[in-house]
Amino acid sequence: MRAAPGSRIVIHGAHVDSAERRGEVIETRGENGGPPYLVRFDDGSESLIFPGPDCELEHSPSASDRP
Protein backbone atom coordinates (compact mmCIF):
# COMPACT_ATOMS: atom_id res chain seq x y z
CA MET A 1 0.00 0.00 0.00
CA ARG A 2 1.43 3.34 -1.05
CA ALA A 3 0.04 6.77 -0.27
CA ALA A 4 0.92 10.40 -0.81
CA PRO A 5 0.03 13.48 1.20
CA GLY A 6 -3.54 14.35 0.28
CA SER A 7 -4.65 10.75 -0.22
CA ARG A 8 -7.80 9.84 1.67
CA ILE A 9 -7.88 6.76 3.87
CA VAL A 10 -10.93 4.79 4.95
CA ILE A 11 -10.75 2.39 7.88
CA HIS A 12 -13.76 0.10 7.86
CA GLY A 13 -15.34 -0.92 11.15
CA ALA A 14 -14.25 -4.32 12.40
CA HIS A 15 -17.69 -5.11 13.83
CA VAL A 16 -21.23 -4.55 12.63
CA ASP A 17 -21.75 -1.72 15.15
CA SER A 18 -18.41 -0.03 14.41
CA ALA A 19 -18.39 3.13 12.36
CA GLU A 20 -15.78 3.56 9.68
CA ARG A 21 -13.20 6.31 10.05
CA ARG A 22 -12.11 8.59 7.24
CA GLY A 23 -9.17 10.92 7.08
CA GLU A 24 -6.45 12.55 5.02
CA VAL A 25 -2.86 11.37 4.85
CA ILE A 26 -0.75 14.30 6.01
CA GLU A 27 2.64 12.60 5.86
CA THR A 28 4.15 9.28 4.84
CA ARG A 29 7.06 8.10 6.94
CA GLY A 30 8.01 4.91 5.11
CA GLU A 31 10.08 4.58 1.95
CA ASN A 32 8.41 5.46 -1.36
CA GLY A 33 5.04 6.32 0.17
CA GLY A 34 4.88 3.29 2.42
CA PRO A 35 3.52 3.20 5.97
CA PRO A 36 3.37 4.40 8.63
CA TYR A 37 1.11 7.33 7.74
CA LEU A 38 0.28 10.40 9.78
CA VAL A 39 -3.46 10.82 9.28
CA ARG A 40 -5.80 13.68 10.20
CA PHE A 41 -9.23 12.15 10.64
CA ASP A 42 -12.42 13.99 9.78
CA ASP A 43 -13.15 14.50 13.49
CA GLY A 44 -9.91 16.54 13.78
CA SER A 45 -7.83 13.93 15.60
CA GLU A 46 -4.43 12.89 14.26
CA SER A 47 -2.80 9.49 14.52
CA LEU A 48 0.18 7.57 13.19
CA ILE A 49 -1.17 4.38 11.62
CA PHE A 50 0.03 1.23 9.94
CA PRO A 51 -2.91 0.29 7.69
CA GLY A 52 -4.30 -3.21 7.95
CA PRO A 53 -6.62 -5.27 5.78
CA ASP A 54 -9.58 -3.15 6.90
CA CYS A 55 -8.12 -0.02 5.23
CA GLU A 56 -8.34 1.34 1.72
CA LEU A 57 -6.83 4.39 0.07
CA GLU A 58 -8.59 6.87 -2.17
CA HIS A 59 -5.83 8.61 -4.11
CA SER A 60 -6.27 12.24 -4.98
CA PRO A 61 -6.08 12.99 -8.72
CA SER A 62 -2.83 14.50 -9.89
CA ALA A 63 -2.73 17.80 -11.75
CA SER A 64 -2.25 15.93 -15.04
CA ASP A 65 -5.50 13.98 -14.46
CA ARG A 66 -7.62 17.12 -14.09
CA PRO A 67 -9.41 18.67 -17.08
Side-chain angles (χ1 to χ4, degrees):
M1 181 177 283
R2 301 215 186 290
S7 296
R8 299 280 301 166
I9 193 162
V10 179
I11 303 173
H12 299 287
H15 304 285
V16 174
D17 300 9
S18 302
E20 64 182 22
R21 296 186 73 196
R22 294 177 175 269
E24 179 181 350
V25 175
I26 299 170
E27 182 180 321
T28 62
R29 296 192 177 172
E31 288 188 28
N32 301 319
Y37 306 131
L38 182 61
V39 176
R40 181 178 299 128
F41 290 99
D42 292 346
D43 66 3
S45 64
E46 293 183 6
S47 185
L48 186 66
I49 66 164
F50 288 85
D54 57 344
C55 295
E56 64 180 291
L57 285 173
E58 299 170 345
H59 297 283
S60 59
S62 66
S64 62
D65 293 341
R66 295 184 191 137

